[in-house]
Amino acid sequence: MLKGLEIRKNNLEGKLKTVLKDIEEKKDTGINFKEMGVDHLFVDESHKFKNLTFTTRHNRVAGLGNMAGSQKALNMLFAVRTLQERFNSDLCVTFLSGTPISNSLTEMYLLFKYLRPKEMERQHIENFDGWAAVFARKTTDFEFSVTNEIIAKERFRHFIKVPELALFYNEVTDYKTARHINLDKPDLNETLVNIPPTPEQSVFIKNLMQFAKTGNGELIGRGRLTPEEDKGRMLIATNYAKKMAADMRMVDDWKYGDHPDNKINTAARKIAEIYNNTQPHKGTQIVFSDIGTPKPDRFNIYDTLKEKLVRDFHMPATEVTFIHDWTDRKKPELFRKMNRGEIRILLGSTEKAGTGLNVQERVVAMHHLDIPWKPSELEQRNGRGARQGNRIAKEHYGNQVQNYVYAVEQSLDNYKFNLLKNKQTFISQMKNSELNVRTIDEGAVDEKSGMNFSEYIAILSGDTSLLEKSKLEKKVAVMESLKHSHFRELTRNKHQLEKLQNDYTSTEKTLGKLSADAAVYKDRLQMTKEGAKANLIQLDGTAGRDSEAIGKHIIQLYQNWKPQTGQHEEKIGHLYGFQLYIRRQQDTYEENGLFEYRYSNSFYAKRQAEGIKYTYNKGVPNTDNPKLAARHFLNALDRVEHLKERYERNLSDLKTELPMIEKLTTKPFTKESELRELKTELANLERQIAIKIQENQLKQHQPNEPDEKQTPVIKLGEHQTNGHSVKETVVAASVSERPRSRVRL
């Protein structure tokens, strides 16, 4: 660590000297960002600035991206920090992006670095290593070294404390999907088209497996690998597997020929079928492929597919086009022609056709001839057809767009597609705060180093156990989510039950007081000859029953009464066994952004010291009419019967609701046994996979010396896989008879 930090320090010192020299020699004076008076930055398509530099001691760990970063991202960081330091807060910038996390949760650290420096400092997360120590866990995959030995390669593929990470992320995120804002756009009807390998592909798959084991490039028609090339053997193998799955002629167009059931022919038949079925509405289709792009005088997927559509399925050549033939200046014409149905088939790559392609008016189907590396790339592709403004899909095809993903069995297609969908699922859940799992496994394939050897061999050999494992993990995750929701609901019901029980006790107690008050009021109430309620109020300081005089006295008290020191209320009279009070209260008002306090008087009546206080018109008498003011307290006491009836209804409702909620608090999780069975099945499958992988490793690692006696030693260990403890067999190396002091691994 120390050596690495010293090297980095020297490199940074060198860069700093270069920058200072450039500043000194600069002739022109430009605008200084600090002097521009900018208060807030809005950064659209912010994911383009995610290649930010960061420091880590894990410089040998795969999948971390470019630690050096780009100058563009560094400039953005300087601008953001300038504003954050000026206002001394984690504010001043808004990032806007449809794909803020495009591939891995490690990208979240850079978002936090941009947007939450003070909060990260508060949590003592001062660099990537601090963040990774809290939220990520390194795992070890196995690959071959230049000397043909199996070596361990580390990568961050497991993420832990996921709900806390999601909460941290959602503190600064506002995420809206089409579903949230009821955006009128078509649904995707996704179909995974499984294609059996052709005989040539089956042979090549075996050769690929041998190449991955031995590094013999002649097996795949590449020639011997240089030592430098052998370091990236798994990346070469992964790329050849991708080419092989697309079309064998991508590997060697002289050696291999066309096959009626390969991926291009399968896709061409489906495209032609949809073309003919949607002829009345001139439905359009988009075909995506990032490999086999148009190249003159060389075999490529684009020209081959177009030739088949025109020659074999009799489509007009003018109705099939490549995105590569349209410059930015010509693209508006392409948009018009596709939206009018003059061009019916468009072939493009994710980079050129995945964004900024507004041809959605007539799109009825999309076809993916290869699987991209990142979930965000697949999402960008899908967004070309499942887009607001798709008129034909809405009016004639049930507001659905068909989405075909073509995958060759025993290739990496299925695995990559499944991995992408899993990643996309937890990225979406992260955005939506819907994650219930505590750990996530991102898988072991990436763009820069290919795939880990063990899983690569398992998939190419036709062993579908890994895919089954992935499906089981998904089922377990769904079940765990349901269980989590069930117990969350139980907790909520228990809190509700406790609240209702408290409410019942409180309501019963209040009703008892109301009933006693109502009985006293009813017993003492007197009526006048006219049948009205007699106002027998007696106020301190007044004599007689003249309503005018009583009313004026009440109004005068309301307007002028001030309490004695240390008091805030005073008894002023009685009526029908109830004591009458005046009190002073403090109210807060806001005016022009300033708060000020005002005092006002109000009246209430109560029968006992701990009794219920009865008010009318919030305790404020009618100051315009003394006769109405005189009946203020009588009106307050009249409310006792109404309040009693209301509390009786509330108590009746609580009596009905309590048994129902009590029953819900004891409701068991009905799928507990099913979840237990799935976990057991998953643990067994993981154990089988671990044994298979170790058997493959052992075959590669057997000592060859004939004079040594082989004595395998087997030791049982335990490891954690996706949160489940799994017993696995670890096969130790053979031990030589002589010399006894030496053990070869």
Side-chain angles (χ1 to χ4, degrees), residues 41 60 122 157 160 266 336 427 526 563 566 568 608 688:
L41 286 175
R60 296 181 184 275
R122 189 188 71 79
R157 63 180 275 187
I160 56 177
T266 304
R336 281 193 298 273
I427 287 173
Q526 296 181 26
H568 68 279
Q608 296 173 328
Q688 290 168 20

Side-chain angles (χ1 to χ4, degrees), residues 420-682:
L420 277 191
K421 296 306 284 184
N422 282 347
K423 278 191 177 187
Q424 187 58 55
T425 298
F426 69 69
I427 287 173
S428 297
Q429 288 175 335
M430 181 71 72
K431 292 172 181 174
N432 278 314
S433 297
E434 292 173 353
L435 274 168
N436 294 318
V437 293
R438 293 207 61 80
T439 60
I440 283 173
D441 181 3
E442 284 198 340
V445 59
D446 67 55
E447 196 171 358
K448 292 190 175 178
S449 61
M451 193 171 182
N452 102 11
F453 167 77
S454 307
E455 295 187 6
Y456 181 87
I457 294 299
I459 290 166
L460 290 192
S461 65
D463 184 350
T464 58
S465 53
L466 281 168
L467 298 178
E468 291 300 319
K469 172 177 172 280
S470 184
K471 288 176 186 175
L472 276 173
E473 283 172 342
K474 195 178 287 186
K475 285 182 183 177
V476 168
V478 169
M479 284 286 190
E480 288 282 12
S481 176
L482 289 172
K483 184 177 179 180
H484 183 85
S485 299
H486 171 78
F487 283 108
R488 191 167 53 194
E489 189 68 27
L490 279 186
T491 305
R492 192 159 46 236
N493 288 333
K494 284 176 182 176
H495 286 310
Q496 191 178 357
L497 179 65
E498 190 178 335
K499 180 182 177 299
L500 289 176
Q501 286 170 338
N502 292 335
D503 287 350
Y504 185 87
T505 306
S506 171
T507 303
E508 200 173 33
K509 186 178 178 182
T510 305
L511 184 59
K513 291 179 180 179
L514 284 168
S515 299
D517 287 350
V520 169
Y521 179 55
K522 188 176 179 181
D523 183 53
R524 298 191 182 187
L525 181 64
Q526 296 181 26
M527 309 297 286
T528 64
K529 292 177 183 178
E530 292 80 15
K533 292 176 182 176
N535 188 14
L536 305 181
I537 185 169
Q538 292 183 355
L539 293 177
D540 299 341
T542 64
R545 298 285 174 85
D546 182 55
S547 61
E548 185 94 17
I550 290 171
K552 286 179 179 177
H553 184 71
I554 287 173
I555 292 169
Q556 187 182 12
L557 278 173
Y558 172 72
Q559 291 174 339
N560 302 317
W561 181 79
K562 289 183 181 177
Q564 295 178 6
T565 307
Q567 293 182 342
H568 68 279
E569 65 180 29
E570 182 182 329
K571 179 176 169 295
I572 60 171
H574 58 87
L575 174 65
Y576 290 134
F578 289 80
Q579 310 304 315
L580 311 181
Y581 291 87
I582 187 170
R583 62 184 171 187
R584 172 156 285 203
Q585 55 200 31
Q586 177 181 290
D587 299 312
T588 308
Y589 296 88
E590 184 184 358
E591 193 171 327
N592 299 324
L594 298 173
F595 292 96
E596 55 180 73
Y597 302 104
R598 298 177 190 171
Y599 294 92
S600 63
N601 294 327
S602 65
F603 296 111
Y604 72 88
K606 70 176 179 180
R607 193 170 62 87
Q608 296 173 328
E610 299 299 322
I612 295 169
K613 295 175 181 178
Y614 299 97
T615 62
Y616 176 72
N617 193 31
K618 296 182 180 178
V620 179
N622 189 319
T623 55
D624 298 328
N625 189 328
K627 287 187 177 181
L628 290 176
R631 296 184 71 84
H632 177 82
F633 286 103
L634 189 61
N635 290 333
L637 293 181
D638 273 345
R639 298 188 66 231
V640 65
E641 194 61 40
H642 169 71
L643 285 170
K644 180 190 164 195
E645 289 173 2
R646 196 176 79 187
Y647 272 80
E648 283 172 346
R649 285 196 302 271
N650 289 348
L651 196 66
S652 176
D653 291 342
L654 286 168
K655 282 180 179 177
T656 307
E657 200 173 350
L658 270 168
M660 294 165 61
I661 297 295
E662 201 165 3
K663 190 177 179 182
L664 287 175
T665 58
T666 57
K667 185 181 176 183
F669 180 56
T670 55
K671 297 190 176 181
E672 184 64 53
S673 59
E674 190 178 344
L675 175 60
R676 201 179 302 113
E677 287 172 10
L678 281 171
K679 282 185 175 180
T680 304
E681 191 178 346
L682 179 61

Side-chain angles (χ1 to χ4, degrees), residues 717-740:
E718 190 172 293
H719 75 114
Q720 292 285 330
T721 308
N722 288 345
H724 312 298
S725 181
V726 180
K727 291 282 184 182
E728 70 172 40
T729 307
V730 180
V731 184
S734 305
V735 181
S736 163
E737 288 285 342
R738 62 179 194 282
R740 291 189 178 275

Side-chain angles (χ1 to χ4, degrees), residues 152-425:
K153 184 165 187 180
E154 293 179 317
R155 71 172 69 240
F156 286 110
R157 63 180 275 187
H158 279 93
F159 290 87
I160 56 177
K161 298 179 185 165
V162 173
E164 289 81 1
L165 181 60
L167 190 66
F168 192 17
Y169 176 71
N170 281 282
E171 284 177 0
V172 291
T173 308
D174 182 35
Y175 177 70
K176 292 287 181 288
T177 64
R179 178 170 53 84
H180 291 132
I181 58 174
N182 296 321
L183 191 66
D184 185 16
K185 71 171 200 173
D187 294 324
L188 273 181
N189 187 13
E190 204 158 65
T191 305
L192 187 62
V193 182
N194 277 306
I195 305 167
T198 65
E200 288 177 338
Q201 283 174 326
S202 297
V203 172
F204 193 77
I205 286 168
K206 291 177 182 175
N207 289 340
L208 263 178
M209 290 165 63
Q210 287 302 314
F211 165 73
K213 292 176 183 176
T214 64
N216 182 2
E218 293 173 355
L219 289 166
I220 56 173
R222 186 184 173 90
R224 290 188 176 277
L225 300 184
T226 64
E228 195 62 33
E229 285 176 329
D230 205 48
K231 290 179 183 177
R233 186 197 304 173
M234 291 314 300
L235 179 59
I236 293 169
T238 304
N239 287 337
Y240 266 84
K242 192 174 180 180
K243 287 180 180 178
M244 173 274 298
D247 195 293
M248 285 303 298
R249 288 169 291 179
M250 288 290 297
V251 177
D252 190 333
D253 59 329
W254 289 99
K255 184 175 180 181
Y256 301 107
D258 195 8
H259 190 281
D261 293 325
N262 64 14
K263 191 181 282 189
I264 292 178
N265 283 306
T266 304
R269 287 193 288 271
K270 180 57 74 177
I271 293 166
E273 178 191 336
I274 295 170
Y275 175 90
N276 294 324
N277 291 342
T278 60
Q279 185 72 41
H281 310 112
K282 292 189 176 179
T284 60
Q285 301 176 69
I286 305 174
V287 184
F288 289 101
S289 180
D290 291 342
I291 60 173
T293 52
K295 290 183 177 65
D297 305 323
R298 285 182 61 184
F299 171 82
N300 65 80
I301 288 173
Y302 282 58
D303 285 316
T304 305
L305 183 57
K306 181 175 180 177
E307 184 185 339
K308 284 184 183 298
L309 294 174
V310 173
R311 185 192 64 208
D312 299 348
F313 298 99
H314 313 296
M315 291 184 193
T318 54
E319 292 188 9
V320 184
T321 190
F322 305 154
I323 190 69
H324 303 74
D325 295 338
W326 301 84
T327 61
D328 288 342
R329 185 175 291 181
K330 288 182 179 180
K331 273 185 180 178
E333 186 185 349
L334 168 67
F335 299 168
R336 281 193 298 273
K337 286 189 172 184
M338 280 203 74
N339 286 330
R340 285 199 298 258
E342 294 172 18
I343 293 175
R344 302 274 306 277
I345 311 292
L346 173 67
L347 282 79
S349 60
T350 308
E351 183 183 353
K352 292 185 178 291
T355 55
L357 194 72
N358 297 313
V359 297
Q360 66 270 14
E361 281 189 34
R362 294 177 179 272
V363 175
V364 292
M366 291 181 291
H367 307 265
H368 304 270
L369 298 185
D370 69 338
I371 316 291
W373 284 107
K374 299 174 185 173
S376 59
E377 291 174 348
L378 190 63
E379 195 175 7
Q380 292 283 11
R381 286 184 180 189
N382 292 341
R384 297 312 98 202
R387 194 175 182 84
Q388 190 180 23
N390 191 329
R391 185 166 49 84
I392 298 299
K394 183 178 181 181
E395 292 174 5
H396 303 285
Y397 298 98
N399 209 20
Q400 282 194 337
V401 172
Q402 302 303 316
N403 199 39
Y404 295 97
V405 181
Y406 298 87
V408 174
E409 294 170 8
Q410 289 182 242
S411 75
L412 302 184
D413 284 348
N414 276 294
Y415 180 84
K416 277 182 70 183
F417 178 70
N418 199 51
L419 195 65
L420 277 191
K421 296 306 284 184
N422 282 347
K423 278 191 177 187
Q424 187 58 55
T425 298

